[in-house]
Amino acid sequence: MTPEEQITSLRNKLHHYNYLYYNKDESLISDLEFDMLLKKLEKLEKKYPQFYDENSPTVRVGGEITKKFKSFSHRYPMYSLANTYSKNEIIEWIKRIEKKYGNKVNDFNCELKFDGASINLYYERGKLKRALTRGDGIKGDDVTLNIKTIKNIPLILNGIYPEKFEIRGEVILPIDSFINLNNERKAKGLPLFSNPRNTASGSLKLQDSKEVASRKLKCFFYSVVGENSSIYHSELLEKSRQWGFFIPESMKRANSINEIFDFIDFWEKKKSELPYEIDGIVIKVNSIKIQNELDFTSKVPRWAISYKFKAERQSTKLLSVTYQVGRTGAITPVANFEPINLSGTIVKRASLHNSDQIEKLGLRIGDYVYVEKGGEIIPKIVGFDKLRRPSLVNDIKFIENCPDCGSKLEKIQGEAQHYCKAENNCKTQIIGKIQHFVSRKGMNIEGFGSERVSLLFNEGIINNIADIYEVEIEKLINLEGMAEKSALNLIESIKQSKKQPFQKVLFSIGIRHVGETVASKLANHFESIDNLINSSYDDLVSVEEIGEKIVNSVKNYFENPENLLIIERLSDADINFKIDKTKNKSNILNGDIIVISGTFENLTREKIKQLVLENGGKLSSAVNSKTKIIIGGESIGPTKKQKAKLLNIPIISENDFLKMLNT
Ligand code: AMP
């Protein structure tokens, strides 16, 4: 055998043994023999570096260091799941989807909801090419090197698989591995991890892949995207099992609501026997055609729902209530209680949300309160033990003044929250606002982490968001932890942030109740900050999905002269306060209403949407007489097809659409 043949044969053998061991629980050779083969391969690879393969079994050992995790856009966004704790809501969900689909839906796939960190893997010609974390759903971090060390993830696939596809799964840390890891850490005097879930997600972002390799993580897969030949989701999962992915045997098809409930009841009882943690059940419409028809809301697929198990509950003594000031001035009361262990995490604080909530619960300091937490859910107080109320309890008197700046708190009519209105004088709010402004979702100023914001504020270098664009390099150098290079980098990222589009800017300036979606809606509707400032109450309410609460908040914001001054200064610094129409590549679509349906091969849905808007089109999800064109991909919904035929609306492919834009 030539060295190349030897290397190939060893690699094939090791991939195969690895697959059998980690996915099928079969070992054809002993651990020692396996290690010896691996060592032999390592030696040969060192000697003949010309036969390097990025997916060789030797990469599983780790050793590569990732200094910085690059982020990439997901080809298909990673949505979260609608969730419920009630069986009745599952019945409601089925009614809803049947109404939308226009027919009975009675084929579901029931799966466990694994509690770990989700991951998206991209395979090309049977080889793992890239692994991205979920991130914010739109963009994730490239953790490929770390993912390759997880032994039950195939680096090379078996059988007949699609040329290119993506598969999603949950990286989990089995409970016994978690316990062993903590025992080792205890012995080394290192801080302990709080639960398997956080440890799994933290492990993916470790810089040293060798350390990741030692953590005994696993990956359970639950969905495939970009494969177009299957009829059922369950069929697709079965196929991926053949390709080498670990699909837990627990998944089960259900043909009626009772079968779904049986699955839930079975696992609710059995979950404590599983060697890993789950926090519920996921129910998915099994037909891919119906899934495509039902599509997604802006946040979640309509064709799936998760049923979460009721959280673990414990009682503990309420010691005090303290108050936090948020970046928008909202005051949040926080309950501090004697520490308890809930679902494997030590908990000693929980938000009480607002004064109404405290009143509703009827709590007094000294009460034994019930605290609940399940999976990733934030702990919350759900009541107190009436029989155990001590004779000496103190009323909780909601504060009247801001714990930070001392100004009088106000309660806005129709809102539960108390607010500190000194938005430009209250330190916590100012720092919070600046942190929000520079954050990744905001102006995305790299190298401007929360601590650095606090530092610059405390040093008197920035007092508000407009000051950021006037920061002088001389003031940065000499600051603690700031070398010349990082100061230069920061100045450069500040400059770069001026390119952010208007909708991002509008989100970043931090108007209460104006999140990303609302900012985008307002920006697209009013097109400039001047139009928005000068808009009337009626103008504002007429914008789709903008209600009274948002309108009042927007109006309040622009009525404050200090805010107007900040906007003026930002505008002088060349921040975008207008929709950039030059960004509109053309007006070829001339206000035409376009519907996008189905799945696409070359472009993501988001990209198509962006192209429609950039070329002067408007988007709608419903086909009706106003629809001009439907851009249809694979498995376009039958109802949409029917309506298009009836109304004589052309359905064009993504390629036709691109051609149309090019003309
Ligand atoms: P949530 O984070 O509660 O919105 O739930 C969505 C997350 O559940 C996904 O991003 C996955 O990480 C996770 N998940 C775990 N098991 C499954 C499953 N069987 N199907 C879909 N998602 C799952």
PDB file of all heavy atoms in Angstrom, residues 79-81 83 111-114 117-118 134 170 222 282 284 308 376, ligand 1:
ATOM      1  N   TYR A  79     -35.208  29.776  13.928  1.00  0.00           N
ATOM      2  CA  TYR A  79     -36.307  30.328  14.705  1.00  0.00           C
ATOM      3  C   TYR A  79     -36.387  29.661  16.074  1.00  0.00           C
ATOM      4  O   TYR A  79     -35.824  28.599  16.283  1.00  0.00           O
ATOM      5  CB  TYR A  79     -37.628  30.075  13.985  1.00  0.00           C
ATOM      6  CG  TYR A  79     -37.786  30.884  12.730  1.00  0.00           C
ATOM      7  CD1 TYR A  79     -37.287  30.433  11.522  1.00  0.00           C
ATOM      8  CD2 TYR A  79     -38.424  32.115  12.769  1.00  0.00           C
ATOM      9  CE1 TYR A  79     -37.424  31.185  10.364  1.00  0.00           C
ATOM     10  CE2 TYR A  79     -38.574  32.868  11.619  1.00  0.00           C
ATOM     11  CZ  TYR A  79     -38.073  32.402  10.419  1.00  0.00           C
ATOM     12  OH  TYR A  79     -38.218  33.146   9.300  1.00  0.00           O
ATOM     13  N   SER A  80     -37.120  30.293  17.015  1.00  0.00           N
ATOM     14  CA  SER A  80     -37.365  29.564  18.257  1.00  0.00           C
ATOM     15  C   SER A  80     -38.701  28.839  18.101  1.00  0.00           C
ATOM     16  O   SER A  80     -39.227  28.744  16.993  1.00  0.00           O
ATOM     17  CB  SER A  80     -37.299  30.493  19.465  1.00  0.00           C
ATOM     18  OG  SER A  80     -38.339  31.397  19.454  1.00  0.00           O
ATOM     19  N   LEU A  81     -39.218  28.291  19.175  1.00  0.00           N
ATOM     20  CA  LEU A  81     -40.455  27.515  19.069  1.00  0.00           C
ATOM     21  C   LEU A  81     -41.542  28.156  19.913  1.00  0.00           C
ATOM     22  O   LEU A  81     -41.256  28.653  21.008  1.00  0.00           O
ATOM     23  CB  LEU A  81     -40.238  26.099  19.611  1.00  0.00           C
ATOM     24  CG  LEU A  81     -39.438  25.118  18.773  1.00  0.00           C
ATOM     25  CD1 LEU A  81     -39.156  23.865  19.584  1.00  0.00           C
ATOM     26  CD2 LEU A  81     -40.212  24.752  17.509  1.00  0.00           C
ATOM     27  N   ASN A  83     -44.262  28.024  22.600  1.00  0.00           N
ATOM     28  CA  ASN A  83     -44.344  27.012  23.647  1.00  0.00           C
ATOM     29  C   ASN A  83     -45.552  27.182  24.546  1.00  0.00           C
ATOM     30  O   ASN A  83     -46.164  28.239  24.594  1.00  0.00           O
ATOM     31  CB  ASN A  83     -43.047  26.926  24.437  1.00  0.00           C
ATOM     32  CG  ASN A  83     -42.805  28.163  25.245  1.00  0.00           C
ATOM     33  OD1 ASN A  83     -43.646  28.564  26.039  1.00  0.00           O
ATOM     34  ND2 ASN A  83     -41.663  28.803  25.039  1.00  0.00           N
ATOM     35  N   GLU A 111     -41.353  14.673  19.449  1.00  0.00           N
ATOM     36  CA  GLU A 111     -39.930  14.515  19.774  1.00  0.00           C
ATOM     37  C   GLU A 111     -39.669  15.046  21.179  1.00  0.00           C
ATOM     38  O   GLU A 111     -40.441  15.837  21.698  1.00  0.00           O
ATOM     39  CB  GLU A 111     -39.083  15.330  18.772  1.00  0.00           C
ATOM     40  CG  GLU A 111     -39.231  14.848  17.352  1.00  0.00           C
ATOM     41  CD  GLU A 111     -38.757  15.860  16.315  1.00  0.00           C
ATOM     42  OE1 GLU A 111     -37.923  16.718  16.648  1.00  0.00           O
ATOM     43  OE2 GLU A 111     -39.249  15.773  15.179  1.00  0.00           O
ATOM     44  N   LEU A 112     -38.542  14.643  21.736  1.00  0.00           N
ATOM     45  CA  LEU A 112     -38.157  15.209  23.027  1.00  0.00           C
ATOM     46  C   LEU A 112     -37.525  16.567  22.761  1.00  0.00           C
ATOM     47  O   LEU A 112     -36.931  16.787  21.703  1.00  0.00           O
ATOM     48  CB  LEU A 112     -37.147  14.302  23.725  1.00  0.00           C
ATOM     49  CG  LEU A 112     -37.636  12.885  24.004  1.00  0.00           C
ATOM     50  CD1 LEU A 112     -36.590  12.117  24.798  1.00  0.00           C
ATOM     51  CD2 LEU A 112     -38.955  12.914  24.776  1.00  0.00           C
ATOM     52  N   LYS A 113     -37.661  17.460  23.717  1.00  0.00           N
ATOM     53  CA  LYS A 113     -37.013  18.765  23.579  1.00  0.00           C
ATOM     54  C   LYS A 113     -35.732  18.721  24.414  1.00  0.00           C
ATOM     55  O   LYS A 113     -35.764  18.842  25.631  1.00  0.00           O
ATOM     56  CB  LYS A 113     -37.942  19.882  24.045  1.00  0.00           C
ATOM     57  CG  LYS A 113     -37.399  21.244  23.734  1.00  0.00           C
ATOM     58  CD  LYS A 113     -38.481  22.300  23.907  1.00  0.00           C
ATOM     59  CE  LYS A 113     -38.006  23.650  23.421  1.00  0.00           C
ATOM     60  NZ  LYS A 113     -36.906  24.201  24.211  1.00  0.00           N
ATOM     61  N   PHE A 114     -34.643  18.475  23.722  1.00  0.00           N
ATOM     62  CA  PHE A 114     -33.352  18.307  24.390  1.00  0.00           C
ATOM     63  C   PHE A 114     -32.885  19.658  24.906  1.00  0.00           C
ATOM     64  O   PHE A 114     -33.013  20.663  24.206  1.00  0.00           O
ATOM     65  CB  PHE A 114     -32.331  17.727  23.414  1.00  0.00           C
ATOM     66  CG  PHE A 114     -32.903  16.581  22.643  1.00  0.00           C
ATOM     67  CD1 PHE A 114     -33.236  16.711  21.308  1.00  0.00           C
ATOM     68  CD2 PHE A 114     -33.167  15.381  23.284  1.00  0.00           C
ATOM     69  CE1 PHE A 114     -33.815  15.674  20.612  1.00  0.00           C
ATOM     70  CE2 PHE A 114     -33.739  14.337  22.592  1.00  0.00           C
ATOM     71  CZ  PHE A 114     -34.076  14.481  21.250  1.00  0.00           C
ATOM     72  N   ALA A 117     -27.554  23.279  23.627  1.00  0.00           N
ATOM     73  CA  ALA A 117     -27.307  24.445  22.773  1.00  0.00           C
ATOM     74  C   ALA A 117     -27.552  24.029  21.333  1.00  0.00           C
ATOM     75  O   ALA A 117     -27.043  22.997  20.886  1.00  0.00           O
ATOM     76  CB  ALA A 117     -25.861  24.891  22.927  1.00  0.00           C
ATOM     77  N   SER A 118     -28.336  24.825  20.590  1.00  0.00           N
ATOM     78  CA  SER A 118     -28.631  24.363  19.234  1.00  0.00           C
ATOM     79  C   SER A 118     -27.479  24.706  18.294  1.00  0.00           C
ATOM     80  O   SER A 118     -26.748  25.675  18.479  1.00  0.00           O
ATOM     81  CB  SER A 118     -29.940  24.922  18.709  1.00  0.00           C
ATOM     82  OG  SER A 118     -30.044  26.262  19.026  1.00  0.00           O
ATOM     83  N   ARG A 134     -26.661  29.039  17.149  1.00  0.00           N
ATOM     84  CA  ARG A 134     -27.897  29.726  16.773  1.00  0.00           C
ATOM     85  C   ARG A 134     -27.704  31.251  16.779  1.00  0.00           C
ATOM     86  O   ARG A 134     -28.277  31.955  15.971  1.00  0.00           O
ATOM     87  CB  ARG A 134     -28.997  29.324  17.755  1.00  0.00           C
ATOM     88  CG  ARG A 134     -30.270  30.087  17.564  1.00  0.00           C
ATOM     89  CD  ARG A 134     -31.419  29.331  18.194  1.00  0.00           C
ATOM     90  NE  ARG A 134     -32.479  30.207  18.609  1.00  0.00           N
ATOM     91  CZ  ARG A 134     -33.452  29.845  19.428  1.00  0.00           C
ATOM     92  NH1 ARG A 134     -33.484  28.636  19.923  1.00  0.00           N
ATOM     93  NH2 ARG A 134     -34.390  30.673  19.749  1.00  0.00           N
ATOM     94  N   GLU A 170     -29.134  19.525  18.777  1.00  0.00           N
ATOM     95  CA  GLU A 170     -28.873  20.114  20.088  1.00  0.00           C
ATOM     96  C   GLU A 170     -27.624  19.466  20.663  1.00  0.00           C
ATOM     97  O   GLU A 170     -27.546  18.239  20.743  1.00  0.00           O
ATOM     98  CB  GLU A 170     -30.093  19.822  20.988  1.00  0.00           C
ATOM     99  CG  GLU A 170     -30.162  20.663  22.211  1.00  0.00           C
ATOM    100  CD  GLU A 170     -30.786  22.048  21.959  1.00  0.00           C
ATOM    101  OE1 GLU A 170     -31.076  22.391  20.794  1.00  0.00           O
ATOM    102  OE2 GLU A 170     -30.932  22.781  22.948  1.00  0.00           O
ATOM    103  N   TYR A 222     -32.490  16.965  15.038  1.00  0.00           N
ATOM    104  CA  TYR A 222     -33.953  16.997  14.970  1.00  0.00           C
ATOM    105  C   TYR A 222     -34.526  17.692  13.742  1.00  0.00           C
ATOM    106  O   TYR A 222     -35.741  17.746  13.588  1.00  0.00           O
ATOM    107  CB  TYR A 222     -34.547  17.627  16.235  1.00  0.00           C
ATOM    108  CG  TYR A 222     -33.934  18.966  16.572  1.00  0.00           C
ATOM    109  CD1 TYR A 222     -34.219  20.088  15.822  1.00  0.00           C
ATOM    110  CD2 TYR A 222     -33.053  19.093  17.638  1.00  0.00           C
ATOM    111  CE1 TYR A 222     -33.650  21.304  16.111  1.00  0.00           C
ATOM    112  CE2 TYR A 222     -32.476  20.314  17.943  1.00  0.00           C
ATOM    113  CZ  TYR A 222     -32.780  21.411  17.174  1.00  0.00           C
ATOM    114  OH  TYR A 222     -32.212  22.620  17.454  1.00  0.00           O
ATOM    115  N   VAL A 282     -41.528  18.328  21.742  1.00  0.00           N
ATOM    116  CA  VAL A 282     -41.823  19.177  20.582  1.00  0.00           C
ATOM    117  C   VAL A 282     -42.773  18.405  19.665  1.00  0.00           C
ATOM    118  O   VAL A 282     -42.533  17.228  19.368  1.00  0.00           O
ATOM    119  CB  VAL A 282     -40.549  19.555  19.793  1.00  0.00           C
ATOM    120  CG1 VAL A 282     -40.877  20.565  18.703  1.00  0.00           C
ATOM    121  CG2 VAL A 282     -39.485  20.115  20.723  1.00  0.00           C
ATOM    122  N   LYS A 284     -44.476  18.368  15.968  1.00  0.00           N
ATOM    123  CA  LYS A 284     -44.303  18.995  14.657  1.00  0.00           C
ATOM    124  C   LYS A 284     -45.276  18.398  13.649  1.00  0.00           C
ATOM    125  O   LYS A 284     -45.495  17.177  13.669  1.00  0.00           O
ATOM    126  CB  LYS A 284     -42.874  18.756  14.138  1.00  0.00           C
ATOM    127  CG  LYS A 284     -41.813  19.362  15.018  1.00  0.00           C
ATOM    128  CD  LYS A 284     -40.429  18.999  14.549  1.00  0.00           C
ATOM    129  CE  LYS A 284     -39.399  19.587  15.501  1.00  0.00           C
ATOM    130  NZ  LYS A 284     -38.065  19.044  15.299  1.00  0.00           N
ATOM    131  N   LYS A 308     -43.917  22.425  27.352  1.00  0.00           N
ATOM    132  CA  LYS A 308     -42.863  22.399  28.369  1.00  0.00           C
ATOM    133  C   LYS A 308     -43.397  21.775  29.648  1.00  0.00           C
ATOM    134  O   LYS A 308     -44.542  22.030  30.042  1.00  0.00           O
ATOM    135  CB  LYS A 308     -42.375  23.815  28.637  1.00  0.00           C
ATOM    136  CG  LYS A 308     -41.701  24.403  27.407  1.00  0.00           C
ATOM    137  CD  LYS A 308     -40.494  25.202  27.792  1.00  0.00           C
ATOM    138  CE  LYS A 308     -39.779  25.675  26.547  1.00  0.00           C
ATOM    139  NZ  LYS A 308     -38.822  26.721  26.819  1.00  0.00           N
ATOM    140  N   GLU A 376     -34.490  26.349  30.930  1.00  0.00           N
ATOM    141  CA  GLU A 376     -33.802  27.627  30.857  1.00  0.00           C
ATOM    142  C   GLU A 376     -34.636  28.766  31.420  1.00  0.00           C
ATOM    143  O   GLU A 376     -34.243  29.910  31.407  1.00  0.00           O
ATOM    144  CB  GLU A 376     -33.402  27.923  29.400  1.00  0.00           C
ATOM    145  CG  GLU A 376     -34.450  28.579  28.563  1.00  0.00           C
ATOM    146  CD  GLU A 376     -35.522  27.635  28.043  1.00  0.00           C
ATOM    147  OE1 GLU A 376     -35.790  26.577  28.658  1.00  0.00           O
ATOM    148  OE2 GLU A 376     -36.109  27.983  27.033  1.00  0.00           O
TER     149      GLU A 376
HETATM  150  P1  AMP B   1     -36.869  27.747  22.572  1.00  0.00           P
HETATM  151  O1  AMP B   1     -35.402  28.014  22.800  1.00  0.00           O
HETATM  152  O2  AMP B   1     -37.612  27.424  23.806  1.00  0.00           O
HETATM  153  O3  AMP B   1     -37.504  28.758  21.699  1.00  0.00           O
HETATM  154  O4  AMP B   1     -36.943  26.387  21.752  1.00  0.00           O
HETATM  155  C1  AMP B   1     -36.304  26.255  20.537  1.00  0.00           C
HETATM  156  C2  AMP B   1     -35.075  25.423  20.703  1.00  0.00           C
HETATM  157  O5  AMP B   1     -35.388  24.119  21.165  1.00  0.00           O
HETATM  158  C3  AMP B   1     -34.386  25.161  19.400  1.00  0.00           C
HETATM  159  O6  AMP B   1     -33.564  26.219  19.013  1.00  0.00           O
HETATM  160  C4  AMP B   1     -33.575  23.941  19.723  1.00  0.00           C
HETATM  161  O7  AMP B   1     -32.339  24.342  20.233  1.00  0.00           O
HETATM  162  C5  AMP B   1     -34.311  23.278  20.876  1.00  0.00           C
HETATM  163  N1  AMP B   1     -34.777  21.921  20.609  1.00  0.00           N
HETATM  164  C6  AMP B   1     -34.501  20.857  21.393  1.00  0.00           C
HETATM  165  N2  AMP B   1     -35.060  19.748  20.914  1.00  0.00           N
HETATM  166  C7  AMP B   1     -35.710  20.080  19.773  1.00  0.00           C
HETATM  167  C8  AMP B   1     -36.479  19.351  18.817  1.00  0.00           C
HETATM  168  N3  AMP B   1     -36.723  18.054  18.950  1.00  0.00           N
HETATM  169  N4  AMP B   1     -36.976  20.032  17.760  1.00  0.00           N
HETATM  170  C9  AMP B   1     -36.758  21.363  17.629  1.00  0.00           C
HETATM  171  N5  AMP B   1     -36.040  22.110  18.509  1.00  0.00           N
HETATM  172  C10 AMP B   1     -35.523  21.480  19.577  1.00  0.00           C
END
